[in-house]
Amino acid sequence: MDFTLTEEQTAARDLAARILGDLSTHERLAAAGTGSDAELWKAICAAGLVAAVTDIGLLGLVLLLEEQGRTTAQVPFAASCAYGLLAVAAHGSPEQRERLLPGIGGGTVVVSGAIFGSGLAVTAEGPDAIGGGAAGGDVRTGAPGGVRTGRPEPVRMGGSGAVRTGGPGAVRTAPQGLLSGTVPVVPWLRDATHVLVADDRRRLWLVRTAEAACEPVELTAPWSAGRLTLDGTPGERLGGDGAYDDVLATARTAFAGLQAGVCAGSLARAVEHTNAREQFGRPLAAKQGVQILAADAYMDTEAIRVTAYEAAWRRDEGLAYATQALTAAWWASEAGRRVVHAGQHLHGGTGADLEHPVHRHFLWGRQLDAYLGCGSEVLQELGELIVSGEEGT
């Protein structure tokens, strides 16, 4: 692949870094609780960063999501671009593109995705599950409300004993295009005006959240999630054969870029802490064990980044990228988990403080570890794809 970024990609990345660095502060994140930051989302959309993805491509989006991950900014950037902007641009009809893309780019239309790869692991854990707190504002700039409110139900993603739900098969379609079924967890559903739903035949449907039942659900990370219930709900078909596979591969690549940023942010905090903290008159960073752990975390972060870049670049160039997307997803899951654990470890007892900024990176990293298929599931899917010889998308 060609690692040279275009001027537009570089400018967009730098602008995103400046906006997110200035506005996604620890204080604002704490005030947002488990909801999204509506004012930050308005600033991102007003700066043209969402709309720019149509020009800078998936690689450009990965660059922007890295910056979001560094600051764990609570906005539906990844979802609305992967399931909305890029999905509609690639698979929408001319009429759909003309009608939907301006709203998505401007932030008045926010799209979430009820699309899952190897499956979504969900377990209702009761009041002791990770998550909770007040929900943030509606990030839809100027969009009407349409999501039902209520007490969020804590849900833990991943972990042993989890019940597998969601994914193709959870939603069925009647001949008239009416959808029925329940998807227990849809990240950023509480922010969305639309949700892209995959049915049991791997067909994609765009559903207005105002016409569906959406109940708040809390996840490990503050992703403003909800439970989607469809009962004869009208859906708008998006794309044809192959659209599901392409959108899933795009989402996996995008969220791998987000994980690269989460890991880079966690590691940066760990480096700052170990250089400032002294033990027996020497910085912790001078100790060999600390250096080895940090070096391993750095290499893991770079592996996530380079595999996400390769998959994104290949898609933008019109090349097959199915295996590359799965490879990026595997690194994001396996290496991402190692890095955020290392970030906690390098902070020592401070890392156990739930209010410390590094803990937020830990929660995001563990959420991304399980999203769109954990490492072992993705690895099995990759192996089956290679054996079948169908490595294109």
PDB file of all heavy atoms in Angstrom, residues 83 87 91 114-115 179 196-199 201-206 235-240 242-248:
ATOM      1  N   TYR A  83     -21.876   3.317   8.969  1.00  0.00           N
ATOM      2  CA  TYR A  83     -23.190   2.762   8.663  1.00  0.00           C
ATOM      3  C   TYR A  83     -24.070   3.728   7.886  1.00  0.00           C
ATOM      4  O   TYR A  83     -25.090   3.323   7.326  1.00  0.00           O
ATOM      5  CB  TYR A  83     -23.910   2.371   9.948  1.00  0.00           C
ATOM      6  CG  TYR A  83     -23.183   1.338  10.771  1.00  0.00           C
ATOM      7  CD1 TYR A  83     -22.851   1.587  12.098  1.00  0.00           C
ATOM      8  CD2 TYR A  83     -22.809   0.124  10.212  1.00  0.00           C
ATOM      9  CE1 TYR A  83     -22.175   0.642  12.855  1.00  0.00           C
ATOM     10  CE2 TYR A  83     -22.134  -0.826  10.964  1.00  0.00           C
ATOM     11  CZ  TYR A  83     -21.818  -0.569  12.282  1.00  0.00           C
ATOM     12  OH  TYR A  83     -21.152  -1.498  13.037  1.00  0.00           O
ATOM     13  N   ALA A  87     -21.860   3.910   3.745  1.00  0.00           N
ATOM     14  CA  ALA A  87     -22.787   2.886   3.274  1.00  0.00           C
ATOM     15  C   ALA A  87     -23.723   3.441   2.212  1.00  0.00           C
ATOM     16  O   ALA A  87     -23.950   2.808   1.168  1.00  0.00           O
ATOM     17  CB  ALA A  87     -23.584   2.319   4.447  1.00  0.00           C
ATOM     18  N   HIS A  91     -23.676   2.244  -1.636  1.00  0.00           N
ATOM     19  CA  HIS A  91     -24.747   1.303  -1.989  1.00  0.00           C
ATOM     20  C   HIS A  91     -26.122   1.954  -2.164  1.00  0.00           C
ATOM     21  O   HIS A  91     -27.070   1.260  -2.552  1.00  0.00           O
ATOM     22  CB  HIS A  91     -24.845   0.205  -0.927  1.00  0.00           C
ATOM     23  CG  HIS A  91     -23.563  -0.542  -0.739  1.00  0.00           C
ATOM     24  ND1 HIS A  91     -23.077  -1.424  -1.671  1.00  0.00           N
ATOM     25  CD2 HIS A  91     -22.644  -0.504   0.266  1.00  0.00           C
ATOM     26  CE1 HIS A  91     -21.919  -1.923  -1.248  1.00  0.00           C
ATOM     27  NE2 HIS A  91     -21.640  -1.382  -0.078  1.00  0.00           N
ATOM     28  N   ALA A 114     -27.305  -1.837  13.276  1.00  0.00           N
ATOM     29  CA  ALA A 114     -27.652  -3.129  13.876  1.00  0.00           C
ATOM     30  C   ALA A 114     -27.116  -4.208  12.948  1.00  0.00           C
ATOM     31  O   ALA A 114     -27.856  -5.005  12.365  1.00  0.00           O
ATOM     32  CB  ALA A 114     -29.159  -3.249  14.056  1.00  0.00           C
ATOM     33  N   ILE A 115     -25.786  -4.196  12.781  1.00  0.00           N
ATOM     34  CA  ILE A 115     -25.096  -5.116  11.879  1.00  0.00           C
ATOM     35  C   ILE A 115     -23.968  -5.749  12.669  1.00  0.00           C
ATOM     36  O   ILE A 115     -23.144  -5.043  13.261  1.00  0.00           O
ATOM     37  CB  ILE A 115     -24.522  -4.371  10.658  1.00  0.00           C
ATOM     38  CG1 ILE A 115     -25.656  -3.765   9.846  1.00  0.00           C
ATOM     39  CG2 ILE A 115     -23.663  -5.288   9.808  1.00  0.00           C
ATOM     40  CD1 ILE A 115     -25.186  -2.926   8.691  1.00  0.00           C
ATOM     41  N   LEU A 179     -40.329  -4.928   8.888  1.00  0.00           N
ATOM     42  CA  LEU A 179     -39.333  -5.656   9.675  1.00  0.00           C
ATOM     43  C   LEU A 179     -39.862  -5.989  11.057  1.00  0.00           C
ATOM     44  O   LEU A 179     -40.550  -5.181  11.682  1.00  0.00           O
ATOM     45  CB  LEU A 179     -38.058  -4.820   9.807  1.00  0.00           C
ATOM     46  CG  LEU A 179     -37.441  -4.296   8.503  1.00  0.00           C
ATOM     47  CD1 LEU A 179     -36.247  -3.411   8.806  1.00  0.00           C
ATOM     48  CD2 LEU A 179     -37.042  -5.436   7.593  1.00  0.00           C
ATOM     49  N   LEU A 196     -29.282   1.292  10.501  1.00  0.00           N
ATOM     50  CA  LEU A 196     -29.102   0.360   9.390  1.00  0.00           C
ATOM     51  C   LEU A 196     -29.186  -1.059   9.944  1.00  0.00           C
ATOM     52  O   LEU A 196     -28.371  -1.462  10.773  1.00  0.00           O
ATOM     53  CB  LEU A 196     -27.748   0.602   8.713  1.00  0.00           C
ATOM     54  CG  LEU A 196     -27.508  -0.146   7.397  1.00  0.00           C
ATOM     55  CD1 LEU A 196     -28.517   0.303   6.334  1.00  0.00           C
ATOM     56  CD2 LEU A 196     -26.078   0.084   6.915  1.00  0.00           C
ATOM     57  N   VAL A 197     -30.183  -1.803   9.487  1.00  0.00           N
ATOM     58  CA  VAL A 197     -30.497  -3.117  10.047  1.00  0.00           C
ATOM     59  C   VAL A 197     -30.222  -4.201   9.009  1.00  0.00           C
ATOM     60  O   VAL A 197     -30.588  -4.054   7.835  1.00  0.00           O
ATOM     61  CB  VAL A 197     -31.979  -3.180  10.485  1.00  0.00           C
ATOM     62  CG1 VAL A 197     -32.317  -4.566  11.037  1.00  0.00           C
ATOM     63  CG2 VAL A 197     -32.277  -2.097  11.514  1.00  0.00           C
ATOM     64  N   ALA A 198     -29.573  -5.279   9.458  1.00  0.00           N
ATOM     65  CA  ALA A 198     -29.393  -6.458   8.607  1.00  0.00           C
ATOM     66  C   ALA A 198     -30.435  -7.503   8.984  1.00  0.00           C
ATOM     67  O   ALA A 198     -30.600  -7.823  10.165  1.00  0.00           O
ATOM     68  CB  ALA A 198     -27.988  -7.026   8.789  1.00  0.00           C
ATOM     69  N   ASP A 199     -31.152  -8.033   7.991  1.00  0.00           N
ATOM     70  CA  ASP A 199     -32.162  -9.049   8.294  1.00  0.00           C
ATOM     71  C   ASP A 199     -31.558 -10.448   8.207  1.00  0.00           C
ATOM     72  O   ASP A 199     -30.340 -10.618   8.021  1.00  0.00           O
ATOM     73  CB  ASP A 199     -33.380  -8.884   7.390  1.00  0.00           C
ATOM     74  CG  ASP A 199     -33.090  -9.185   5.912  1.00  0.00           C
ATOM     75  OD1 ASP A 199     -32.006  -9.727   5.601  1.00  0.00           O
ATOM     76  OD2 ASP A 199     -33.958  -8.884   5.071  1.00  0.00           O
ATOM     77  N   ARG A 201     -31.587 -12.550   5.970  1.00  0.00           N
ATOM     78  CA  ARG A 201     -31.043 -12.891   4.648  1.00  0.00           C
ATOM     79  C   ARG A 201     -29.895 -11.970   4.260  1.00  0.00           C
ATOM     80  O   ARG A 201     -29.535 -11.877   3.104  1.00  0.00           O
ATOM     81  CB  ARG A 201     -32.170 -12.820   3.605  1.00  0.00           C
ATOM     82  CG  ARG A 201     -33.273 -13.856   3.849  1.00  0.00           C
ATOM     83  CD  ARG A 201     -34.464 -13.651   2.945  1.00  0.00           C
ATOM     84  NE  ARG A 201     -34.121 -13.767   1.535  1.00  0.00           N
ATOM     85  CZ  ARG A 201     -34.970 -13.557   0.535  1.00  0.00           C
ATOM     86  NH1 ARG A 201     -36.232 -13.189   0.809  1.00  0.00           N
ATOM     87  NH2 ARG A 201     -34.599 -13.694  -0.705  1.00  0.00           N
ATOM     88  N   ARG A 202     -29.335 -11.279   5.234  1.00  0.00           N
ATOM     89  CA  ARG A 202     -28.202 -10.367   5.045  1.00  0.00           C
ATOM     90  C   ARG A 202     -28.527  -9.250   4.053  1.00  0.00           C
ATOM     91  O   ARG A 202     -27.675  -8.807   3.284  1.00  0.00           O
ATOM     92  CB  ARG A 202     -26.948 -11.129   4.598  1.00  0.00           C
ATOM     93  CG  ARG A 202     -26.431 -12.060   5.673  1.00  0.00           C
ATOM     94  CD  ARG A 202     -25.126 -12.704   5.292  1.00  0.00           C
ATOM     95  NE  ARG A 202     -24.591 -13.472   6.407  1.00  0.00           N
ATOM     96  CZ  ARG A 202     -23.367 -13.338   6.901  1.00  0.00           C
ATOM     97  NH1 ARG A 202     -22.539 -12.446   6.390  1.00  0.00           N
ATOM     98  NH2 ARG A 202     -22.956 -14.077   7.907  1.00  0.00           N
ATOM     99  N   ARG A 203     -29.753  -8.804   4.096  1.00  0.00           N
ATOM    100  CA  ARG A 203     -30.144  -7.625   3.338  1.00  0.00           C
ATOM    101  C   ARG A 203     -30.163  -6.432   4.288  1.00  0.00           C
ATOM    102  O   ARG A 203     -30.482  -6.578   5.469  1.00  0.00           O
ATOM    103  CB  ARG A 203     -31.515  -7.822   2.699  1.00  0.00           C
ATOM    104  CG  ARG A 203     -31.566  -8.955   1.678  1.00  0.00           C
ATOM    105  CD  ARG A 203     -32.974  -9.174   1.157  1.00  0.00           C
ATOM    106  NE  ARG A 203     -33.890  -9.518   2.233  1.00  0.00           N
ATOM    107  CZ  ARG A 203     -35.179  -9.800   2.044  1.00  0.00           C
ATOM    108  NH1 ARG A 203     -35.697  -9.753   0.819  1.00  0.00           N
ATOM    109  NH2 ARG A 203     -35.957 -10.105   3.070  1.00  0.00           N
ATOM    110  N   LEU A 204     -29.834  -5.274   3.773  1.00  0.00           N
ATOM    111  CA  LEU A 204     -29.738  -4.073   4.599  1.00  0.00           C
ATOM    112  C   LEU A 204     -30.983  -3.212   4.428  1.00  0.00           C
ATOM    113  O   LEU A 204     -31.464  -2.994   3.302  1.00  0.00           O
ATOM    114  CB  LEU A 204     -28.492  -3.265   4.213  1.00  0.00           C
ATOM    115  CG  LEU A 204     -27.142  -3.962   4.413  1.00  0.00           C
ATOM    116  CD1 LEU A 204     -26.009  -3.044   3.989  1.00  0.00           C
ATOM    117  CD2 LEU A 204     -26.961  -4.415   5.858  1.00  0.00           C
ATOM    118  N   TRP A 205     -31.469  -2.706   5.564  1.00  0.00           N
ATOM    119  CA  TRP A 205     -32.653  -1.851   5.578  1.00  0.00           C
ATOM    120  C   TRP A 205     -32.374  -0.643   6.453  1.00  0.00           C
ATOM    121  O   TRP A 205     -31.824  -0.757   7.542  1.00  0.00           O
ATOM    122  CB  TRP A 205     -33.860  -2.607   6.144  1.00  0.00           C
ATOM    123  CG  TRP A 205     -34.189  -3.850   5.398  1.00  0.00           C
ATOM    124  CD1 TRP A 205     -33.635  -5.088   5.573  1.00  0.00           C
ATOM    125  CD2 TRP A 205     -35.146  -3.985   4.335  1.00  0.00           C
ATOM    126  NE1 TRP A 205     -34.190  -5.988   4.698  1.00  0.00           N
ATOM    127  CE2 TRP A 205     -35.126  -5.341   3.930  1.00  0.00           C
ATOM    128  CE3 TRP A 205     -36.026  -3.112   3.709  1.00  0.00           C
ATOM    129  CZ2 TRP A 205     -35.940  -5.826   2.912  1.00  0.00           C
ATOM    130  CZ3 TRP A 205     -36.842  -3.596   2.696  1.00  0.00           C
ATOM    131  CH2 TRP A 205     -36.793  -4.931   2.312  1.00  0.00           C
ATOM    132  N   LEU A 206     -32.752   0.520   5.965  1.00  0.00           N
ATOM    133  CA  LEU A 206     -32.617   1.752   6.731  1.00  0.00           C
ATOM    134  C   LEU A 206     -33.950   2.042   7.408  1.00  0.00           C
ATOM    135  O   LEU A 206     -34.980   2.172   6.739  1.00  0.00           O
ATOM    136  CB  LEU A 206     -32.215   2.901   5.809  1.00  0.00           C
ATOM    137  CG  LEU A 206     -31.520   4.112   6.442  1.00  0.00           C
ATOM    138  CD1 LEU A 206     -30.234   3.686   7.154  1.00  0.00           C
ATOM    139  CD2 LEU A 206     -31.206   5.151   5.376  1.00  0.00           C
ATOM    140  N   GLY A 235     -39.098  -0.444   6.502  1.00  0.00           N
ATOM    141  CA  GLY A 235     -37.676  -0.243   6.251  1.00  0.00           C
ATOM    142  C   GLY A 235     -37.431   0.114   4.802  1.00  0.00           C
ATOM    143  O   GLY A 235     -38.185  -0.280   3.904  1.00  0.00           O
ATOM    144  N   GLU A 236     -36.378   0.845   4.569  1.00  0.00           N
ATOM    145  CA  GLU A 236     -35.997   1.260   3.222  1.00  0.00           C
ATOM    146  C   GLU A 236     -34.777   0.452   2.793  1.00  0.00           C
ATOM    147  O   GLU A 236     -33.735   0.516   3.435  1.00  0.00           O
ATOM    148  CB  GLU A 236     -35.684   2.762   3.220  1.00  0.00           C
ATOM    149  CG  GLU A 236     -35.251   3.307   1.891  1.00  0.00           C
ATOM    150  CD  GLU A 236     -34.926   4.795   1.975  1.00  0.00           C
ATOM    151  OE1 GLU A 236     -35.059   5.385   3.067  1.00  0.00           O
ATOM    152  OE2 GLU A 236     -34.519   5.360   0.935  1.00  0.00           O
ATOM    153  N   ARG A 237     -34.884  -0.309   1.744  1.00  0.00           N
ATOM    154  CA  ARG A 237     -33.802  -1.194   1.302  1.00  0.00           C
ATOM    155  C   ARG A 237     -32.593  -0.370   0.862  1.00  0.00           C
ATOM    156  O   ARG A 237     -32.723   0.635   0.163  1.00  0.00           O
ATOM    157  CB  ARG A 237     -34.287  -2.078   0.148  1.00  0.00           C
ATOM    158  CG  ARG A 237     -33.266  -3.088  -0.347  1.00  0.00           C
ATOM    159  CD  ARG A 237     -33.082  -4.231   0.616  1.00  0.00           C
ATOM    160  NE  ARG A 237     -32.010  -5.111   0.163  1.00  0.00           N
ATOM    161  CZ  ARG A 237     -32.164  -6.113  -0.686  1.00  0.00           C
ATOM    162  NH1 ARG A 237     -33.373  -6.357  -1.193  1.00  0.00           N
ATOM    163  NH2 ARG A 237     -31.150  -6.873  -1.032  1.00  0.00           N
ATOM    164  N   LEU A 238     -31.422  -0.822   1.299  1.00  0.00           N
ATOM    165  CA  LEU A 238     -30.180  -0.159   0.905  1.00  0.00           C
ATOM    166  C   LEU A 238     -29.258  -1.182   0.257  1.00  0.00           C
ATOM    167  O   LEU A 238     -28.835  -2.149   0.889  1.00  0.00           O
ATOM    168  CB  LEU A 238     -29.490   0.456   2.118  1.00  0.00           C
ATOM    169  CG  LEU A 238     -28.210   1.250   1.805  1.00  0.00           C
ATOM    170  CD1 LEU A 238     -28.568   2.555   1.094  1.00  0.00           C
ATOM    171  CD2 LEU A 238     -27.422   1.544   3.061  1.00  0.00           C
ATOM    172  N   GLY A 239     -28.935  -0.970  -0.996  1.00  0.00           N
ATOM    173  CA  GLY A 239     -27.995  -1.839  -1.695  1.00  0.00           C
ATOM    174  C   GLY A 239     -28.584  -3.182  -2.069  1.00  0.00           C
ATOM    175  O   GLY A 239     -29.738  -3.501  -1.782  1.00  0.00           O
ATOM    176  N   GLY A 240     -27.743  -3.994  -2.724  1.00  0.00           N
ATOM    177  CA  GLY A 240     -28.158  -5.324  -3.154  1.00  0.00           C
ATOM    178  C   GLY A 240     -27.221  -6.367  -2.601  1.00  0.00           C
ATOM    179  O   GLY A 240     -26.705  -6.247  -1.481  1.00  0.00           O
ATOM    180  N   GLY A 242     -24.057  -8.313  -1.661  1.00  0.00           N
ATOM    181  CA  GLY A 242     -22.699  -7.857  -1.376  1.00  0.00           C
ATOM    182  C   GLY A 242     -22.632  -6.618  -0.510  1.00  0.00           C
ATOM    183  O   GLY A 242     -21.564  -6.292   0.017  1.00  0.00           O
ATOM    184  N   ALA A 243     -23.751  -5.916  -0.357  1.00  0.00           N
ATOM    185  CA  ALA A 243     -23.736  -4.686   0.443  1.00  0.00           C
ATOM    186  C   ALA A 243     -23.441  -4.995   1.908  1.00  0.00           C
ATOM    187  O   ALA A 243     -22.675  -4.281   2.565  1.00  0.00           O
ATOM    188  CB  ALA A 243     -25.062  -3.947   0.310  1.00  0.00           C
ATOM    189  N   TYR A 244     -24.044  -6.067   2.422  1.00  0.00           N
ATOM    190  CA  TYR A 244     -23.830  -6.427   3.833  1.00  0.00           C
ATOM    191  C   TYR A 244     -22.355  -6.679   4.111  1.00  0.00           C
ATOM    192  O   TYR A 244     -21.787  -6.144   5.071  1.00  0.00           O
ATOM    193  CB  TYR A 244     -24.651  -7.665   4.190  1.00  0.00           C
ATOM    194  CG  TYR A 244     -24.338  -8.225   5.552  1.00  0.00           C
ATOM    195  CD1 TYR A 244     -24.982  -7.761   6.686  1.00  0.00           C
ATOM    196  CD2 TYR A 244     -23.379  -9.221   5.707  1.00  0.00           C
ATOM    197  CE1 TYR A 244     -24.679  -8.268   7.947  1.00  0.00           C
ATOM    198  CE2 TYR A 244     -23.070  -9.746   6.951  1.00  0.00           C
ATOM    199  CZ  TYR A 244     -23.719  -9.261   8.070  1.00  0.00           C
ATOM    200  OH  TYR A 244     -23.412  -9.764   9.304  1.00  0.00           O
ATOM    201  N   ASP A 245     -21.716  -7.499   3.281  1.00  0.00           N
ATOM    202  CA  ASP A 245     -20.307  -7.835   3.500  1.00  0.00           C
ATOM    203  C   ASP A 245     -19.420  -6.602   3.429  1.00  0.00           C
ATOM    204  O   ASP A 245     -18.482  -6.444   4.216  1.00  0.00           O
ATOM    205  CB  ASP A 245     -19.842  -8.874   2.476  1.00  0.00           C
ATOM    206  CG  ASP A 245     -20.483 -10.234   2.701  1.00  0.00           C
ATOM    207  OD1 ASP A 245     -20.823 -10.541   3.856  1.00  0.00           O
ATOM    208  OD2 ASP A 245     -20.648 -10.988   1.718  1.00  0.00           O
ATOM    209  N   ASP A 246     -19.717  -5.719   2.482  1.00  0.00           N
ATOM    210  CA  ASP A 246     -18.893  -4.518   2.337  1.00  0.00           C
ATOM    211  C   ASP A 246     -19.070  -3.583   3.526  1.00  0.00           C
ATOM    212  O   ASP A 246     -18.092  -3.046   4.060  1.00  0.00           O
ATOM    213  CB  ASP A 246     -19.251  -3.787   1.049  1.00  0.00           C
ATOM    214  CG  ASP A 246     -18.463  -2.499   0.880  1.00  0.00           C
ATOM    215  OD1 ASP A 246     -17.223  -2.560   0.828  1.00  0.00           O
ATOM    216  OD2 ASP A 246     -19.086  -1.419   0.841  1.00  0.00           O
ATOM    217  N   VAL A 247     -20.307  -3.371   3.974  1.00  0.00           N
ATOM    218  CA  VAL A 247     -20.563  -2.477   5.106  1.00  0.00           C
ATOM    219  C   VAL A 247     -19.931  -3.044   6.378  1.00  0.00           C
ATOM    220  O   VAL A 247     -19.338  -2.304   7.177  1.00  0.00           O
ATOM    221  CB  VAL A 247     -22.063  -2.236   5.290  1.00  0.00           C
ATOM    222  CG1 VAL A 247     -22.343  -1.482   6.587  1.00  0.00           C
ATOM    223  CG2 VAL A 247     -22.623  -1.452   4.105  1.00  0.00           C
ATOM    224  N   LEU A 248     -20.027  -4.358   6.577  1.00  0.00           N
ATOM    225  CA  LEU A 248     -19.421  -4.971   7.756  1.00  0.00           C
ATOM    226  C   LEU A 248     -17.907  -4.816   7.733  1.00  0.00           C
ATOM    227  O   LEU A 248     -17.286  -4.473   8.746  1.00  0.00           O
ATOM    228  CB  LEU A 248     -19.804  -6.450   7.832  1.00  0.00           C
ATOM    229  CG  LEU A 248     -19.169  -7.253   8.975  1.00  0.00           C
ATOM    230  CD1 LEU A 248     -19.511  -6.650  10.335  1.00  0.00           C
ATOM    231  CD2 LEU A 248     -19.609  -8.712   8.908  1.00  0.00           C
TER     232      LEU A 248
END
